[in-house]
């Protein structure tokens, strides 16, 4: 006598989609993703329209032009009465180069002009002209890592300048100062960096 075949009970799959959806939500919530952190940079306030229309003449000595080409090389462009000159500098020397430009400790004729400016809370302070600028230009083919490295060196230069200025005027490190005194330090050496991409740098 033949055995009767038992029927295998069917699996109820009606809730499979719900379980998969719940698992998806769980992993989305609990998984951490690496994100690029942006650089902190405060933009200057907008000037009135009448002020924007006025052309501002900037002395060549007050502008530091940094060029980064597609080969991740850093060049300093100097403009003088004799014409333009380009010198290459390694990344390791960029911070000190920028720091010297910001402060001009020896009052060099090739670096920004010096002036006496009134700083609220400190009075008259001799410092670099407020019209100085650091111009950073890079080719679109410049590597992202090199761009970040250059930005970091610029920020390091400013941090060292601010820290030394804080020690000079308040005998405390910049990070240990209250917000009001930090503002005084930044008013002495404000951050003036302009950035733009270039597609036709010579290399």
């Amino acid at each position: 006598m033949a055995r009767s075949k038992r029927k295998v009970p069917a699996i109820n799959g009606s809730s499979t989609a719900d379980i998969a959806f719940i698992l998806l939500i769980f992993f989305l919530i609990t998984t951490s993703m690496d994100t690029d952190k942006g650089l902190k940079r405060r933009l200057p306030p907008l000037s009135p329209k009448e002020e924007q229309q006025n052309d501002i003449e900037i002395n060549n000595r007050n502008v530091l032009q940094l060029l980064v080409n597609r080969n991740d090389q850093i060049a300093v462009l100097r403009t003088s009465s004799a014409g333009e000159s380009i010198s290459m500098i390694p990344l390791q020397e960029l911070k000190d180069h920028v720091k010297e430009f910001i402060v001009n400790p020896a009052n060099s004729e090739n670096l920004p002009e010096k002036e006496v400016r009134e700083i609220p809370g400190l009075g008259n302070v001799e410092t670099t002209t407020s019209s100085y600028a650091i111009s950073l230009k890079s080719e679109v083919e410049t590597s992202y890592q090199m761009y970040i490295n250059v930005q970091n060196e610029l920020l390091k230069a400013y941090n060292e300048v601010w820290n030394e200025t804080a020690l000079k005027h308040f005998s405390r490190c910049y990070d240990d100062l209250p917000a009001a005194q930090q503002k005084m330090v930044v008013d002495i050496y404000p951050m003036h960096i302009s950035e733009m991409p270039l597609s036709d740098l010579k290399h």
Side-chain angles (χ1 to χ4, degrees):
M1 183 175 180
R3 293 183 179 179
S4 59
K5 294 183 179 180
R6 294 183 179 180
K7 292 183 178 180
V8 178
I11 298 175
N12 186 2
S14 60
S15 62
T16 305
D18 294 335
I19 295 174
F21 182 74
I22 292 173
L23 289 174
L24 178 62
I25 295 297
F26 173 77
F27 286 116
L28 285 176
I29 294 176
T30 58
T31 302
S32 61
M33 298 182 182
D34 294 333
T35 56
D36 293 330
K37 296 182 179 179
L39 296 170
K40 294 182 179 180
R41 186 68 53 80
R42 181 174 296 177
L43 296 176
L46 291 174
S47 302
K49 292 183 178 180
E50 58 272 13
E51 292 184 10
Q52 294 180 9
Q53 294 176 353
N54 295 333
D55 293 333
I56 301 176
E57 294 184 2
I58 299 180
N59 194 326
N60 289 329
R61 64 181 286 190
N62 296 333
V63 180
L64 175 63
Q65 299 186 63
L66 300 175
L67 313 177
V68 186
N69 66 15
R70 66 189 65 183
N71 297 321
D72 290 347
Q73 297 172 318
I74 306 173
V76 178
L77 175 62
R78 292 288 187 187
T79 304
S80 62
S81 57
E84 293 185 350
S85 62
I86 297 180
S87 59
M88 310 300 294
I89 61 172
L91 179 66
Q92 296 78 7
E93 297 179 8
L94 179 60
K95 174 180 65 69
D96 293 335
H97 195 90
V98 172
K99 183 178 173 182
E100 182 184 21
F101 174 83
I102 296 171
V103 179
N104 189 8
N107 197 13
S108 171
E109 295 182 356
N110 298 322
L111 297 175
E113 301 165 305
K114 308 287 282 188
E115 68 179 13
V116 176
R117 192 164 65 248
E118 183 177 357
I119 306 299
L122 286 177
N124 292 331
V125 178
E126 182 181 27
T127 181
T128 305
T129 176
S130 58
S131 63
Y132 87 93
I134 298 174
S135 173
L136 175 60
K137 302 177 183 179
S138 59
E139 288 189 298
V140 293
E141 296 89 351
T142 300
S143 70
Y144 178 76
Q145 187 58 54
M146 187 60 177
Y147 177 79
I148 294 299
N149 290 341
V150 170
Q151 292 280 355
N152 285 338
E153 294 303 307
L154 294 179
L155 293 178
K156 286 179 184 177
Y158 272 102
N159 286 332
E160 286 192 10
V161 168
W162 291 339
N163 194 59
E164 292 174 4
T165 304
L167 290 172
K168 176 181 177 181
H169 291 278
F170 301 105
S171 300
R172 295 172 64 186
C173 294
Y174 176 80
D175 291 337
D176 297 334
L177 296 178
Q181 292 180 344
Q182 286 185 348
K183 183 180 183 303
M184 297 178 195
V185 172
V186 176
D187 285 344
I188 298 175
Y189 293 108
M191 181 181 292
H192 291 166
I193 300 177
S194 65
E195 303 173 43
M196 64 169 23
L198 282 181
S199 59
D200 57 353
L201 288 179
K202 297 179 180 179
H203 51 277

